[in-house]
Amino acid sequence: MTGIVIKSTGSWYLVRSLQGGQLYKCRLRGKFKNKGLKVSNPLAVGDEVTMELEGGEHQAVITEIKPRRNYIIRKSTHKAHHAHIVASNLDVAYLVVTLVSPRTSFGFIDRFLVTAEAYQIPATLLFNKIDLYDEEALAYMNQVMGLYERIGYPCLPLSAQTGEGLPEVQKLLTGKTSLFTGHSGVGKSTLVNALVPDLAIKTQEISSFSDKGVHTTTFAEMFEVEPGTYLIDTPGIKELGVVEMKKEEIGHYFPEMRALLNKCRFNNCIHINEPGCAVQEAVKKGKIALPRYESYLSLLQDEDSHR
Ligand code: GDP
Ligand code: ZN
């Protein structure tokens, strides 16, 4: 029997069977090691597993993990060398942003996009709260959306409150595993509630598997919008460790720079003040947007301070 992990705790996993859709509370058989990955949890939501039924009616043992297409890791904020896998096998990562109350900065958006590129997960931007935008804010939104769409990131305007734009988002989700993240206050919870029908009932069904009175760490939870359509809600992305990058690599995670990389005179060019730099040339000509280049410089500086 195969299934998808929809909840991962420190000690057990909730797995939705891919044959029949039943939920099973599972433990792992034997020791699982993530080869080459220093993480504290062997399994994460989104993992596809093989399992065998065990004694109890809704109990099974996980015997195998299928290879992951991709995954996201979060570093612990309090323990220097601890990290865990948040989720795996993601089709799209969505960042919910707003241009008013509060305004999401370019720096924050670009950091998310670089992280998604590094994890090889396609990213999409959702501009929420459009019901609050005046004409000026709408014009600004169209400008920002144009900027990101030209680079290749789809953008959608919506209002989680009025429901405008929701059908378009729903259409994108169908049949996929999607990660939702965003600054607190942008309306991510409101949106997730609007997208997942019967969220409260589903949450209750999942929590009915928890051992009462036993403290377990929940790493992340995955919701089923409908069979085959999954949504993962994660808090801030600040800790989503921007994968450790060499300075020369950061440009690879900006698609508009990536396209120019072998055009620079020096192959280890980091596009600051080198002569014959195709990236600086493109910034001067307006072919690379200045805010994007500024985000790039700020990421370079971060890497500096890590050394
Ligand atoms: P989260 O921190 O990102 O999960 O944000 P919440 O979903 O808790 O929303 C923060 C606040 O923004 C709440 O007061 C929501 O009612 C409000 N909000 C969320 N979406 C919208 C929207 O589309 N339009 C407006 N006007 N308010 C919204
Ligand atoms: Zn260069």
Side-chain angles (χ1 to χ4, degrees):
M1 196 162 53
T2 57
I4 290 186
V5 178
I6 64 163
K7 179 176 173 148
S8 155
T9 77
S11 51
W12 55 273
Y13 308 91
L14 202 59
V15 179
R16 177 80 74 189
S17 160
L18 286 171
Q19 295 87 42
Q22 267 216 37
L23 283 177
Y24 293 92
K25 189 171 177 174
C26 298
R27 58 181 185 84
L28 275 176
R29 173 172 293 165
K31 279 216 152 92
F32 276 74
K33 284 237 169 73
N34 285 297
K35 271 190 214 126
L37 265 182
K38 283 185 193 139
V39 289
S40 57
N41 58 334
L43 272 182
V45 297
D47 275 341
E48 205 177 316
V49 297
T50 307
M51 55 185 171
E52 288 170 11
L53 288 182
E54 217 184 17
E57 197 185 345
H58 292 287
Q59 297 198 1
V61 189
I62 294 167
T63 55
E64 195 196 340
I65 308 172
K66 303 275 174 78
R68 297 180 177 110
R69 278 186 287 128
N70 57 38
Y71 53 81
I72 280 191
I73 287 181
R74 172 169 301 174
K75 284 186 187 146
S76 163
T77 43
H78 51 280
K79 284 187 198 147
H81 299 295
H82 267 250
H84 67 264
I85 308 176
V86 177
S88 72
N89 299 325
L90 301 162
D91 292 304
V92 189
Y94 290 93
L95 180 69
V96 185
V97 304
T98 44
L99 296 181
V100 295
S101 78
R103 177 181 286 206
T104 312
S105 71
F106 277 109
F108 189 79
I109 295 175
D110 292 333
R111 189 171 293 265
F112 163 81
L113 293 174
V114 163
T115 308
E117 290 284 339
Y119 283 123
Q120 302 184 4
I121 301 165
T124 293
L125 302 177
L126 300 176
F127 291 76
N128 190 30
K129 304 198 187 185
I130 54 167
D131 57 297
L132 296 180
Y133 300 3
D134 58 16
E135 223 162 280
E136 200 181 319
L138 283 173
Y140 181 61
M141 177 184 76
N142 284 325
Q143 202 184 325
V144 177
M145 291 204 318
L147 188 163
Y148 284 106
E149 289 203 311
R150 272 194 295 280
I151 306 168
Y153 298 112
C155 296
L156 262 94
L158 75 125
S159 165
Q161 190 137 305
T162 66
E164 200 181 341
L166 274 188
E168 285 77 8
V169 181
Q170 254 149 353
K171 221 181 277 170
L172 292 182
L173 298 184
T174 306
K176 301 209 160 104
T177 299
S178 306
L179 178 101
F180 276 71
T181 189
H183 243 302
S184 93
V186 294
K188 179 168 64 75
S189 317
T190 310
L191 179 62
V192 168
N193 270 287
L195 290 172
V196 185
D198 308 319
L199 182 62
I201 297 168
K202 282 171 181 156
T203 307
Q204 207 175 12
E205 184 194 15
I206 288 175
S207 63
S208 72
F209 281 85
S210 301
D211 308 299
K212 290 193 179 59
V214 179
H215 177 79
T216 48
T217 318
T218 301
F219 290 117
E221 240 167 78
M222 192 157 95
F223 301 107
E224 255 174 345
V225 178
E226 56 188 32
T229 300
Y230 299 101
L231 197 156
I232 296 159
D233 183 5
T234 63
I237 50 159
K238 249 195 208 140
E239 312 85 8
L240 290 189
V242 173
V243 196
E244 281 173 33
M245 293 180 287
K246 293 203 184 84
K247 280 189 165 190
E248 306 83 69
E249 280 171 3
I250 299 177
H252 295 250
Y253 301 131
F254 285 75
E256 71 273 50
M257 289 188 194
R258 188 161 62 212
L260 297 171
L261 287 186
N262 54 17
K263 300 220 162 72
C264 294
R265 185 177 305 163
F266 303 111
N267 62 10
N268 60 349
C269 187
I270 53 170
H271 326 304
I272 299 182
N273 48 25
E274 295 91 337
C277 170
V279 169
Q280 289 169 77
E281 189 63 27
V283 174
K284 264 189 218 129
K285 286 188 179 151
K287 289 185 177 157
I288 287 178
L290 195 56
R292 289 279 290 170
Y293 183 62
E294 283 167 350
S295 292
Y296 167 77
L297 292 179
S298 126
L299 278 165
L300 264 189
Q301 245 173 15
D302 283 3
E303 282 304 301
D304 254 349
S305 61
H306 286 162
R307 268 141 232 258

